[in-house]
Amino acid sequence: MTRQRLAVLGCTGSIGTSTLDVVARHPDRFEVVALAAATQVDVMLAQCERFRPRVAVMASAPHARELAEKIKQKGLEVRVDTSSSAIENIASDTQVDTVMAAIVGAAGLAPCLAAARAGKRLLLANKEALVVGGEVFLRAVREGGATLLPIDSEHSAIFQSLPDDPATWAARIDKIILTASGGPFRTRAPASLRAVTPEEACAHPNWVMGRKISVDSATMMNKALEVIEARYLFDVGPDQLDVVIHPQSVIHSMVQYRDTSVVAQLGTPDMRVPIAYGLGWPERIDSGAAALDFRALQDLSFEPIDGDGHRERYPGLALAWEALRAEPGTCAVLNAANEIAVAAFLDRRIRFDQIHRVNRATLDAVQPGRPDGLEALLALDARSRAAAEQAVRRCPA
């Protein structure tokens, strides 16, 4: 068996570490040739010791220099790439077959585009590549001949619930239903959310995730971004996308067909399951996750997204459909605004309930201008972030 040569972008985050956990279970299938991370030098060093990649990348020069010195002290034969285009370089490297794209936020767009243009097998855990990149990213996938496999649990579930031939999807699909846990504040009074702390927002009841995505889950902006991603991944219209709250996080998403039958994917809330599916596709490989025990399941319940105060609790969710129906580039504006707003909340500069205010104000302030390439997208992202920072400063204490 020829081993897949793998690059893991965002290797020290929750998706990256889960990916390497699955990879370690299949040394005959995978060879880790490149790792990229942001700031966690010691975690990266431990991964370099275990997986012995050919190249490692840190997002900033000081962290790269620290890693290089520690690798030298350990006597490891790992090259630390400190160039400004280092992450794009490993994403498009001819010695890499498969790229796990797990960098959080719009920062992951450029390496995802590089991997797509180079025709890689691209495991997409960075939803922003589609939310920000939209048709620009999909065009790069088509022209580069890349294989795009979704890793978000919801999009992996949808992909697993669809027929093998994408050419048949449009004629068969009635709608796609994404499930949402509701996060840590599903039953909390909407009026009380102004007092939420970052620690409370990051305490997800089902999933172990990073701080930014945990806050997004609490506001349901994560689901808004997933709705946008699903529109592009599966080529469906906004009216064919729906969200339902499913607190147990056992059903990860569903596809309803024209005959009203529904196909769903179930599993434990463990990201190693969709990661293993993407790594092994079209085969199925061991993920290391626990199997569902149906004897122990008490119930599977569902709540409408517009019921029981949820419209007030999650006002940002509706922005997904608004952005999809608006001028191209609006989704990129929304993503940039939300990244700034969440960072401001985590820094205690704004309240939890002001995240939506910043997102709304930024959408109202920025005209997208139909971006047609990476430079235009990055310029739009920068303008949107500047507008969002202004909105943050206008938020009352």
Side-chain angles (χ1 to χ4, degrees), residues 176-262:
I176 286 172
I177 306 166
L178 290 92
T179 57
S181 70
F185 309 132
R186 182 177 59 86
T187 60
R188 184 159 168 166
S192 73
L193 296 179
R194 63 180 288 126
V196 163
T197 67
E199 291 75 21
E200 290 174 312
C202 290
H204 196 281
N206 298 340
W207 297 92
V208 178
M209 303 182 293
R211 282 163 60 81
K212 196 269 182 182
I213 194 172
S214 294
V215 174
D216 282 348
S217 179
T219 63
M220 203 74 90
M221 277 304 301
N222 191 46
K223 205 57 52 180
L225 299 178
E226 288 172 5
V227 166
I228 295 169
E229 184 181 5
R231 177 263 175 272
Y232 287 109
L233 272 173
F234 305 112
D235 194 24
V236 294
D239 292 338
Q240 291 177 280
L241 294 162
D242 199 2
V243 173
V244 64
I245 292 179
H246 170 51
Q248 295 81 19
S249 296
V250 171
I251 296 176
H252 297 300
S253 278
M254 300 169 272
V255 177
Q256 180 173 305
Y257 288 88
R258 295 289 174 87
D259 61 0
T260 73
S261 62
V262 177

Side-chain angles (χ1 to χ4, degrees), residues 31-236:
E31 176 190 0
V32 177
V33 299
L35 295 172
T39 60
Q40 297 188 65
V41 172
D42 289 338
V43 177
M44 170 68 96
L45 180 64
Q47 292 176 346
C48 287
E49 285 189 277
R50 182 173 187 185
F51 293 98
R52 304 300 172 101
R54 301 173 194 175
V55 60
V57 174
M58 301 301 295
S60 72
H63 292 101
R65 288 193 294 269
E66 181 183 351
L67 177 65
E69 181 59 33
K70 290 185 175 184
I71 281 179
K72 182 179 178 181
Q73 291 171 1
K74 292 279 187 179
L76 300 176
E77 294 184 2
V78 179
R79 178 172 62 87
V80 179
D81 189 342
T82 59
S83 67
S84 60
S85 58
I87 299 179
E88 290 94 322
N89 291 344
I90 63 174
S92 58
D93 193 322
T94 56
Q95 297 187 65
V96 170
D97 305 312
T98 300
V99 175
M100 170 58 77
I103 295 174
V104 175
L109 175 59
C112 282
L113 278 169
R117 290 169 179 151
K120 303 301 183 186
R121 180 186 174 104
L122 180 54
L123 310 185
L124 191 65
N126 172 277
K127 63 177 62 64
E128 290 82 5
L130 277 166
V131 173
V132 177
E135 289 297 336
V136 172
F137 176 67
L138 289 179
R139 184 168 66 247
V141 170
R142 290 192 298 269
E143 293 176 354
T147 299
L148 185 61
L149 297 168
I151 297 301
D152 271 352
S153 61
E154 295 82 0
H155 302 94
S156 175
I158 294 163
F159 185 63
Q160 294 179 58
S161 300
L162 285 167
D164 290 339
D165 184 2
T168 69
W169 292 355
R172 297 187 184 189
I173 296 173
D174 180 33
K175 65 179 177 179
I176 286 172
I177 306 166
L178 290 92
T179 57
S181 70
F185 309 132
R186 182 177 59 86
T187 60
R188 184 159 168 166
S192 73
L193 296 179
R194 63 180 288 126
V196 163
T197 67
E199 291 75 21
E200 290 174 312
C202 290
H204 196 281
N206 298 340
W207 297 92
V208 178
M209 303 182 293
R211 282 163 60 81
K212 196 269 182 182
I213 194 172
S214 294
V215 174
D216 282 348
S217 179
T219 63
M220 203 74 90
M221 277 304 301
N222 191 46
K223 205 57 52 180
L225 299 178
E226 288 172 5
V227 166
I228 295 169
E229 184 181 5
R231 177 263 175 272
Y232 287 109
L233 272 173
F234 305 112
D235 194 24
V236 294

